[in-house]
Amino acid sequence: VALHDVDAAGILFFGHLFRHAHDAYEAFMADIGFPLDRLIREGAGKLPLVHAEADYALPMRHGEEVEARLQVESLGRTSFTLSYRFLDAAGRECASASTVHVYLAGDPSGLTAHPLPKVLRTLLQNWTAVSAED
Amino acid sequence: VALHDVDAAGILFFGHLFRHAHDAYEAFMADIGFPLDRLIREGAGKLPLVHAEADYALPMRHGEEVEARLQVESLGRTSFTLSYRFLDAAGRECASASTVHVYLAGDPSGLTAHPLPKVLRTLLQNWTAVSAED
Amino acid sequence: VALHDVDAAGILFFGHLFRHAHDAYEAFMADIGFPLDRLIREGAGKLPLVHAEADYALPMRHGEEVEARLQVESLGRTSFTLSYRFLDAAGRECASASTVHVYLAGDPSGLTAHPLPKVLRTLLQNWTAVSAED
Amino acid sequence: VALHDVDAAGILFFGHLFRHAHDAYEAFMADIGFPLDRLIREGAGKLPLVHAEADYALPMRHGEEVEARLQVESLGRTSFTLSYRFLDAAGRECASASTVHVYLAGDPSGLTAHPLPKVLRTLLQNWTAVSAED
């Protein structure tokens, strides 16, 4: 929790949690071999968020170490849902969040929801399985 | 929608919507006579968010004018819920959001949920009524 | 000065001043008829910053009204410099800043500094004159 | 360089460089045993920035790995200057920055510049020496 993350009350500004969730998402996508920057540059499709939500249980203070854990919550035909848990050094859940991403493709002037690319579906599925075993 | 609001895909980064929602909330609280900066400085209590969520319907592009409309959604004993609609110049809803705020007071080391201060409850109630009439 | 602008010390996080400076810059460019979003979408050229600096004189606190005043400081062949003054409600200068923008054009793989487009040069020049009269 | 770091032009929004510089500064202060969050919580003094500047040499794109290197540039009686170099994976300098921090102490209503605390001076001096050897 950096100085620019907290507000005058000394705790994480709620909106910044989504920045950290997205950092975890970007790191995850790069890890599984589907980096977002390549997707955006190649222009084949987009994965915009259509929903985001978060619950805040404990204040996250300046200087605290908070770990973000990401999980593939569900995998639809054209979308997927990720969930995030934010844990402090003692392992307590400070916050949780989830984001829903939909795959848009087609001609640039009229992007519509498309089935997730096979490679992405497989990558996410593998990861769901691994996660489910834990 | 400012340049720093949008990402490489040219549309509003989803997390920044919450910054704009919070700006609307701060402006609203100042308007009704309960400015957040005074609350924080006086240290009598806090109004942290315990929940936030948003739905994204249309991409908000760099340079677009987007209007935020705030409404008091519900008023509980120790908390209240605000909802936000984000409209483009044509009046179409690009996104919606809601935030739940809980009133914490007591000794600083152990803040707990308290009934909303009477003055705040009255201010919010008035405003709900006005809004309901529209 | 919004809640998300300030840090745990209750004053504007220095880096956010540049966001506000850029908002003033975007509003200015739109006002003079050269909106940045059009420039970026049309892809004819870019105006990246090559230098930015700021001096902080007075703390800007949560809830304070701070006005940004922009001036065209100098106009070069391929670049221009803007300066910004940030004034509190009492008219005192809380901070000042300046940004240097260079015009890049050419083939996308190798953008190089180019003379400012004539229309932009004229618009900026007009505005420098007006400003000098004040 | 995360998705929320870049703008519609696909490159790092200049203002976000200062956020990353400050992250390097916070990590450095924690490393040398003078964490900022403790300083702010204990309320003994403050280290606000009075100046910040940056030069941008190469665009930093979404997905790029950029390393921040911090150096104690100079050490005054009441202030110190840090410099930062931002290097891409190939070791090329994409940007550089510097920040000037002044030590304020005294009664809260009228903080004035004070000599740096001895412990901080020693810590910074050690580090300057080490750095000078490199």
Side-chain angles (χ1 to χ4, degrees), chain A:
Chain A
V1 182
L3 185 59
H4 52 74
D5 277 333
V6 300
D7 60 26
I11 62 171
L12 182 90
F13 178 70
F14 81 104
H16 294 330
L17 189 78
F18 293 101
R19 185 161 54 75
H20 292 295
H22 201 273
D23 283 347
Y25 163 55
E26 283 204 67
F28 166 70
M29 294 296 272
D31 276 0
I32 65 170
F34 203 87
L36 288 183
D37 55 302
R38 205 170 63 199
L39 180 73
I40 292 172
R41 265 178 225 159
E42 291 178 355
K46 288 182 176 182
L47 278 169
L49 280 94
V50 291
H51 181 77
E53 66 175 275
D55 288 284
Y56 305 85
L58 294 170
M60 286 162 273
R61 293 181 201 288
H62 180 212
E64 250 186 283
E65 288 291 326
V66 176
E67 188 197 347
R69 289 199 193 160
L70 180 154
Q71 199 172 329
V72 180
E73 194 66 25
S74 66
L75 195 54
R77 208 179 59 91
T78 61
S79 71
F80 57 92
T81 302
L82 303 176
S83 66
Y84 311 80
R85 296 178 66 214
F86 296 87
L87 308 175
D88 69 11
R92 292 178 304 174
E93 187 174 298
C94 302
S96 60
S98 69
T99 53
V100 182
H101 305 252
V102 65
Y103 186 67
L104 298 187
D107 76 301
S109 64
L111 291 173
T112 49
H114 265 62
L116 293 169
K118 258 188 196 152
V119 56
L120 176 56
R121 165 171 298 278
T122 309
L123 290 167
L124 291 174
Q125 220 147 22
N126 287 348
W127 203 84
T128 320
V130 171
S131 162
E133 277 169 20
D134 290 344

Side-chain angles (χ1 to χ4, degrees), chain A residues 40-41 46, chain B residues 1-13 16 60-64, chain C residues 22 26 35-49 111, chain D residues 1-16 59-62:
Chain A
I40 292 172
R41 265 178 225 159
K46 288 182 176 182
Chain B
V1 182
L3 184 58
H4 52 74
D5 278 332
V6 300
D7 60 25
I11 61 172
L12 182 91
F13 179 70
H16 293 330
M60 286 161 275
R61 293 180 201 287
H62 179 213
E64 250 185 284
Chain C
H22 201 272
E26 282 203 69
L36 288 183
D37 55 301
R38 205 169 65 199
L39 180 72
I40 292 172
R41 264 179 226 160
E42 291 178 355
K46 288 181 177 185
L47 277 169
L49 279 94
L111 291 173
Chain D
V1 182
L3 184 59
H4 52 74
D5 278 333
V6 300
D7 60 25
I11 63 172
L12 182 90
F13 179 70
F14 81 104
H16 294 329
M60 285 162 275
R61 292 180 203 288
H62 179 212

Side-chain angles (χ1 to χ4, degrees), chain A residues 18 50-53, chain B residues 14 17-18 52-56 86 95-98:
Chain A
F18 293 101
V50 291
H51 181 77
E53 66 175 275
Chain B
F14 81 104
L17 189 77
F18 292 101
E53 65 176 274
D55 288 283
Y56 305 86
F86 296 87
S96 60
S98 70

